């Protein structure tokens, strides 16, 4: 291979790695390049130097997850605007979304062992919301001890926000926690960390059933999960949340409407 060939292949690998919709298991060209990434030191060196210059780091590179990259905060490829998915109007919204993100991570990977083992897990906004509220209750009862200043987020979620609030047309309001959990899952889907699971019916028209991916597991295993995830997985709260929501009865008051 010439230096020109390596440069082309580095560009293609970056393109594939940044596109969560492409899988080496379904794309022969991607699969071949991934093999070269592991066996050709010249290509690997050229890739690492290019990635480093772009502020990118390789989390994992295998046939299951593909080439999974993470952007450093200073990278021009880092995501700095989440307004496409999340409606953040102030600190309080940011706290709630942060808990929803940590809750989604903890639902999919409830233990350190789950992070190490391949496999996917079904998740809905109802699952995430219930998990966060279970832990908020335990925190309020002082069954879980938090570092100073971290209790504000849990209080905002469980005390100041309604689990479900409906518009006059019966749709979920943007600031109820179930809808905010769904927004977080939609954002994760945009990066290939969860996928829509169409094998089971959704719990509600505005909500979907999602399934975690190996890309998500790679992020948690290598980069570390959110602090909220660490709090949840390290707690001794009962493990009823580990069951899929599809096997449980509805637990949110969807019959209640608000203007």
């Amino acid at each position: 291979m010439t230096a020109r060939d390596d440069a082309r292949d580095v560009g293609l690998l970056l393109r594939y790695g940044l596109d969560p919709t492409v899988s080496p298991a379904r794309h022969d060209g991607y699969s071949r390049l991934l093999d070269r990434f592991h066996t050709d030191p010249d290509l690997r060196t050229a890739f690492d130097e290019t990635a480093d210059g772009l502020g990118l780091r390789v989390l994992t590179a295998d046939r299951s997850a593909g080439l999974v990259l993470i952007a450093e905060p200073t990278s021009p490829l880092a995501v700095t605007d989440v307004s496409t998915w999340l409606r953040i109007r102030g600190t309080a919204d940011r706290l709630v979304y942060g808990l929803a993100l940590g809750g989604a991570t903890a639902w999919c990977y409830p233990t350190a062992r789950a992070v190490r083992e391949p496999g996917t897990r079904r998740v809905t906004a109802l699952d995430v919301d219930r998990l966060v509220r279970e832990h908020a209750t335990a925190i309020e009862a002082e069954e879980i001890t938090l570092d100073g200043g971290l209790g504000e987020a849990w209080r905002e979620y469980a005390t100041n926000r309604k689990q479900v609030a409906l518009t006059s047309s019966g749709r979920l309001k943007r600031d109820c926690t179930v809808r905010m959990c769904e927004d977080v899952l939609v954002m994760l889907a945009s990066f290939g960390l969860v996928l829509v699971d169409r094998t089971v019916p959704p719990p509600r028209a505005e909500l979907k059933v999602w399934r975690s991916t190996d890309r998500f597991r790679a992020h948690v295993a290598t980069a570390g999960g959110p602090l909220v995830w660490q709090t949840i997985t390290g707690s001794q709260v009962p493990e009823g949340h580990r069951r899929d929501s599809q096997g449980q009865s509805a637990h949110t008051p969807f019959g209640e409407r608000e203007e």
Side-chain angles (χ1 to χ4, degrees):
M1 291 286 182
T2 66
R4 178 176 294 181
D5 292 330
D6 285 345
R8 177 203 61 207
D9 289 346
V10 164
L12 285 172
L13 270 173
L14 284 170
R15 177 181 177 181
Y16 293 141
L18 293 170
D19 185 353
T21 67
V22 181
S23 166
R26 299 180 180 179
H27 194 291
D28 291 341
Y30 188 3
S31 180
R32 287 193 296 270
L33 283 176
L34 204 57
D35 287 341
R36 279 199 65 209
F37 177 83
H38 288 296
T39 61
D40 187 332
D42 291 335
L43 177 67
R44 180 61 185 264
T45 298
F47 181 90
D48 288 345
E49 290 175 348
T50 303
D52 184 64
L54 290 170
L56 297 175
R57 181 161 56 91
V58 177
L59 295 184
T60 191
D62 57 45
R63 292 187 180 280
S64 176
L67 181 65
V68 182
L69 304 169
I70 188 171
E72 302 294 345
T74 56
S75 169
L77 297 174
V79 177
T80 58
D81 181 8
V82 296
S83 60
T84 300
W85 309 281
L86 311 181
R87 187 175 67 166
I88 299 176
R89 298 163 298 179
T91 301
D93 287 337
R94 194 177 300 277
L95 293 175
V96 173
Y97 282 127
L99 285 182
L101 177 59
T105 307
W107 177 269
C108 294
Y109 307 102
T111 65
R113 180 179 178 180
V115 176
R116 296 192 301 268
E117 296 180 345
T120 65
R121 183 168 168 81
R122 188 178 292 154
V123 59
T124 71
L126 302 183
D127 297 324
V128 176
D129 180 79
R130 177 163 51 87
L131 178 59
V132 173
R133 288 183 179 275
E134 284 177 358
H135 282 76
T137 299
I139 289 169
E140 185 177 6
E142 298 184 348
E143 297 172 7
I144 299 175
T145 302
L146 298 176
D147 293 336
L150 295 180
E152 181 183 353
W154 297 91
R155 285 192 296 273
E156 176 64 29
Y157 193 108
T159 304
N160 298 342
R161 300 296 177 109
K162 290 189 175 183
Q163 183 182 30
V164 168
L166 304 181
T167 66
S168 58
S169 61
R171 297 186 64 83
L172 290 167
K173 287 189 172 182
R174 290 292 301 269
D175 59 355
C176 73
T177 56
V178 169
R179 171 60 189 272
M180 295 176 82
C181 287
E182 181 70 6
D183 290 345
V184 164
L185 289 168
V186 171
M187 180 179 70
L188 292 176
S190 297
F191 297 102
L193 305 184
V194 298
L195 301 172
V196 176
D197 185 341
R198 304 187 190 279
T199 63
V200 292
R204 184 176 171 82
E206 304 107 297
L207 306 179
K208 291 182 174 62
V209 178
W210 305 92
R211 187 169 287 279
S212 62
T213 68
D214 284 328
R215 292 179 69 91
F216 196 2
R217 185 174 61 83
H219 273 271
V220 179
T222 310
L227 182 59
V228 175
W229 172 75
Q230 298 172 31
T231 298
I232 293 174
T233 56
S235 76
Q236 300 301 314
V237 171
E239 299 182 2
H241 68 271
R242 297 177 190 231
R243 295 172 292 170
D244 284 347
S245 63
Q246 299 301 309
Q248 301 184 23
S249 59
H251 53 270
T252 49
F254 282 122
E256 191 176 306
R257 295 190 180 186
E258 293 191 1
E259 297 295 336

